[in-house]
Structures are given as C-alpha cells and as structure tokens.
Amino acid sequence: MSRLKGAAAALALMLAPHLAAAQLSDEVVRIGVLTDLSGPYADFAGPGSVLATRMAIEDHGGKVLGKPVEVVNGDHQNKPDVGGSLARRWIDTDRVDMIIDMPNSSVALAVQQVGRERNRIIINSSASTTELTGRQCSPVGFHWTSDSYALSSGTTRAVMQQGGKSWYYLTVDYEGGYALERGSEGVVKAEGGQSLGHARHPLNTSDFSSFLLQAQASKAQVVALANAGTDTINAIKQAGEFGLTKGGQRLVGMFVNVNDVKALGLQTAQGVVTVEAWYWDQSDETRAFARRFAERNRGTVPSQYQAGIYSAVRHYLKAVEAAGTDEATAVAAKMRALPVNDVFTKNGVVRADGRHVHDLYLVEVKKPAESTGPWDLYKVLATVPAAQAFKPLDAACPLVKP
C-alpha cells in the first residue's frame, strides 16, 4: 500500500506540469503588440515596443506553463476602427491572448472595449487618457506606464512653482490631447493661475505656424504642448523659429520622451521640464537593460513606454504562471494581486481599476555643457511618490467599490 501511495504521488508530480499546461487555451500563449509602426509615435513605441516584448519573453525563459510564447505585431495607423478591427481578428481568428501598447488614446479605448467584450487581457502602455481606468475601465484592462494626469499635473505644478501663472495650450485634436489639457488646466486653476485658451491641431501636423501665432498673441507666460511624438518635435523646432522663447514665453512639453530630446538636440530642448516614468540612467540595473536594448535597436535606448512594456509583459507572464491558466479573468486577478518588481519599478502596485501605480520622476533637459554622452539628456530633479503621481481611484469606474 505504501509503495502504491508513493507511486501515485510520483505520478502526480510528473503530471503536474502537463495538467497546468492543459489549462492554456491552446498550445501556445500569443501576445499581440498593437502599435504605431510608421507614424508620429513610432520612435517612443513602434518597433521598440515589439523588441521590448520579445526581450521580456526571452528573460522569462521563452515559455510559460511549459508552452512557448509567441509575438504578433500590427500597425493601428492611429485609427480607432483599424485598431479595433485588428484586435478582433487577432482574438477571433489568431487566438491572441493578450494585446499591449496602443499609443493613441482613441485607439486604446476602442481596443479596451474589444477586450472587455471578448474577455482578453488588454494592457495599455503608451496611451495617456485616464478614461482607461475611469468610466471606461475594464475587468481585463490595465494601464501601465503613465497617463495624462501624471504627465500633466506633475509638469504643470513644477512650472507654476517657477512662476508660470498664465497658460496657453497647443493640443492635438483627439482624446489624448484633450486629457493632457484638462489635467493641466485643472492644476492651473486650482493653484490660482489662468488658462488663456487653446489651439487644436490635427495629428501629425508639419506646419504649426498658425497655431504658434495664436499662442504668441495670447501673451501667456507658458505655451504648453498637449501632444506627442513628431508633433511635439515639430512644435518645439518651429516655436524657436518664431521666437516664442526669446520673447519671454516658456515652452513646456506634456508628453516629452528621450527620443524627442535626442531628435531636437540639447541646444534646442535644454531647460524643458517634464515627468518621466523611467529613465535609462537611474541605476546599474537600468543601464545594463538599456545597453542590451540599444544593441538590438540601432544604438537607441528604450523610452519610458518601451521599458513599461517590458515590465507589463513580464508581469503578465508571471500572472499566467501563478493562475495556472491563460483565461483572462483568472490572469487579471493575479495581475492585481502580485507586486511589480523589475527593471522598470520596485514595489509597484496594480489597483482595482487596472492602474499600475509607481513612482515618477521630475526631470529637466540638460544644457549641452552638462551632458557627458549621446544619451545623457536629463537631470532628475525629484522623485514623485506613487501616491501623489497618479489620480486617486475614480468612483466612475464600476470596479471601484465605494
């Protein structure tokens, strides 16, 4: 009898990995990177987001529950209908288990709705709207790296403390831009400042002359760029040509990334204050990760959003392991329960609304004389604690209990 019990126990141990693997929906876990591969957000997301996903899978061991992890990628073209359609096809036909990235808030909201309908994990890393964890939150939806509240409120407070009381906004004409503008205006008004208006520009604008003339005519002390990617780069370049800063107005970027600063050059971008969720030159660990990434990315270090994708994919794979299945509801529960500890952040927390909460960093672009290397672009002014960095839980989210 004892020999039979021992044999049964041994058999159970041998079968355990196979039983766990059998809880996968098929013989592979598939991750879809839905991003901007060729448009205005391709530098801080795009192909680098795909690389960050692959690196996360490799560093996890290439398998989960004994089965391989595969990656597919697609370009949403910054169109919600294209992003939503591709997400549906991936889920319905290609059996994709998780979709990540979505730079462009309108696309992100559309894809999160698809995930809610079809019970698939959706992780937004590069989108900014807080609606993802507000009224349109999802039981299987997550918002990872940063958001419009964190970006706009932190930057606005810092500039107001330095004397910037009147503001004018150059805002990209879709939800991501509106969210940045709303967040900043809320801080300006709460702290006794003035919002003198806004100019709305189309996505991927090459000529900002008319918008900058409106900003110049406003006489606002601060001209805030509620846009991103090449829109931010073009606006900053042309603002210099129009003499906004020489005339005493200060230019502030709400969604500035290391890629933007590199493209602009320190001579043009010096002194810009912004908030970053992650910077490559923070520690030996971040520098080592950045070197590995740059070796496979034509010498370019990861943006905060690409580092966030690496973190989110690692966390997702750990949650699948912990849940013993890739079923979205079970995995989502583990994602909310497990702490986040990796190269991106330490002791990060995933809230009930799906918001990943972690420290942020107030940074200033260095002067050319202060830089010691091609990617030595920022000096860190302060750490913004997680509790202050992100918007409190929103009662509009059905997942938030009173």
Side-chain angles (χ1 to χ4, degrees):
M1 182 63 70
S2 61
R3 284 197 297 271
L4 285 172
K5 288 181 179 178
L11 181 62
L13 287 172
M14 292 171 61
L15 289 176
H18 302 286
L19 290 171
Q23 298 304 307
L24 297 178
S25 55
D26 54 11
E27 293 301 301
V28 64
V29 172
R30 291 187 184 87
I31 296 174
V33 185
L34 188 53
T35 188
D36 178 355
L37 290 171
S38 56
Y41 306 144
D43 283 347
F44 70 75
S49 294
V50 181
L51 172 58
T53 301
R54 295 190 186 282
M55 289 179 65
I57 293 167
E58 292 165 9
D59 290 352
H60 189 78
K63 293 184 178 182
V64 62
L65 296 175
K67 297 297 180 181
V69 184
E70 295 180 354
V71 179
V72 298
N73 65 80
D75 192 337
H76 58 49
Q77 302 173 39
N78 289 289
K79 298 176 181 177
D81 57 336
V82 173
S85 177
L86 188 51
R88 289 186 191 92
R89 193 194 79 197
W90 278 356
I91 294 169
D92 295 345
T93 304
D94 300 333
R95 304 188 74 177
V96 166
D97 300 292
M98 184 269 274
I99 300 176
I100 194 166
D101 200 13
M102 283 75 71
N104 186 307
S105 292
S106 298
V107 175
L109 289 167
V111 174
Q112 179 149 295
Q113 177 61 26
V114 173
R116 183 189 294 108
E117 293 168 354
R118 284 162 167 74
N119 193 37
R120 288 293 189 279
I121 298 288
I122 307 295
I123 307 177
N124 292 283
S125 177
S126 304
S128 64
T129 179
T130 54
E131 284 294 288
L132 290 163
T133 52
R135 288 176 298 173
Q136 300 192 49
C137 70
S138 166
V140 290
F142 298 88
H143 202 171
W144 210 256
T145 303
S146 194
D147 60 33
S148 57
Y149 179 92
L151 292 168
S152 59
S153 62
T155 306
T156 302
R157 284 193 181 92
V159 174
M160 290 196 75
Q161 288 169 4
Q162 296 172 352
K165 299 298 183 183
S166 60
W167 292 63
Y168 189 90
Y169 297 88
L170 265 61
T171 305
V172 63
D173 194 9
Y174 75 89
E175 173 56 29
Y178 310 152
L180 289 169
E181 181 185 302
R182 285 195 303 268
S184 177
E185 276 192 321
V187 173
V188 169
K189 293 174 181 177
E191 303 210 0
Q194 286 182 295
S195 174
L196 300 182
H198 62 252
R200 299 260 166 89
H201 68 82
L203 178 66
N204 214 8
T205 293
S206 58
D207 184 2
F208 278 86
S209 56
S210 64
F211 308 112
L212 289 166
L213 285 170
Q214 293 175 57
Q216 205 166 32
S218 75
K219 306 295 184 182
Q221 293 172 300
V222 179
V223 177
L225 304 178
N227 52 24
T230 55
D231 284 335
T232 297
I233 293 170
N234 288 334
I236 292 175
K237 284 181 178 178
Q238 291 169 38
E241 295 166 5
F242 275 82
L244 262 72
T245 52
K246 289 181 180 178
Q249 291 178 299
R250 186 167 189 183
L251 208 59
V252 170
M254 297 289 183
F255 201 99
V256 175
N257 291 282
V258 289
N259 315 77
D260 305 329
V261 176
K262 182 66 173 175
L264 286 163
L266 294 180
Q267 189 63 46
T268 301
Q270 61 182 306
V272 170
V273 174
T274 191
V275 169
E276 287 265 349
W278 184 88
Y279 180 47
W280 71 272
D281 197 18
Q282 292 173 278
S283 67
D284 289 343
E285 184 183 17
T286 60
R287 286 187 283 272
F289 174 72
R291 282 194 296 271
R292 287 201 297 131
F293 186 95
E295 287 169 359
R296 299 168 63 173
N297 195 43
R298 302 188 303 277
T300 300
V301 301
S303 71
Q304 57 182 320
Y305 299 101
Q306 291 158 350
I309 283 171
Y310 174 90
S311 169
V313 173
R314 290 296 303 271
H315 193 69
Y316 167 76
L317 295 175
K318 290 174 184 176
V320 173
E321 296 274 10
T325 177
D326 59 1
E327 192 278 321
T329 304
V331 174
K334 290 297 183 182
M335 288 182 69
R336 287 176 168 86
L338 295 172
V340 184
N341 286 294
D342 52 38
V343 71
F344 179 77
T345 192
K346 304 302 178 190
N347 301 314
V349 174
V350 181
R351 299 189 314 202
D353 59 356
R355 173 70 261 174
H356 175 216
V357 178
H358 50 84
D359 292 346
L360 298 178
Y361 305 94
L362 183 68
V363 300
E364 182 178 327
V365 178
K366 288 185 173 183
K367 298 174 182 177
E370 295 173 325
S371 177
T372 60
W375 288 98
D376 182 22
L377 305 175
Y378 290 146
K379 49 187 175 185
V380 178
L381 302 179
T383 298
V384 184
Q388 298 175 20
F390 292 95
K391 186 178 180 180
L393 282 165
D394 188 347
C397 170
L399 303 172
V400 177
K401 297 180 180 179

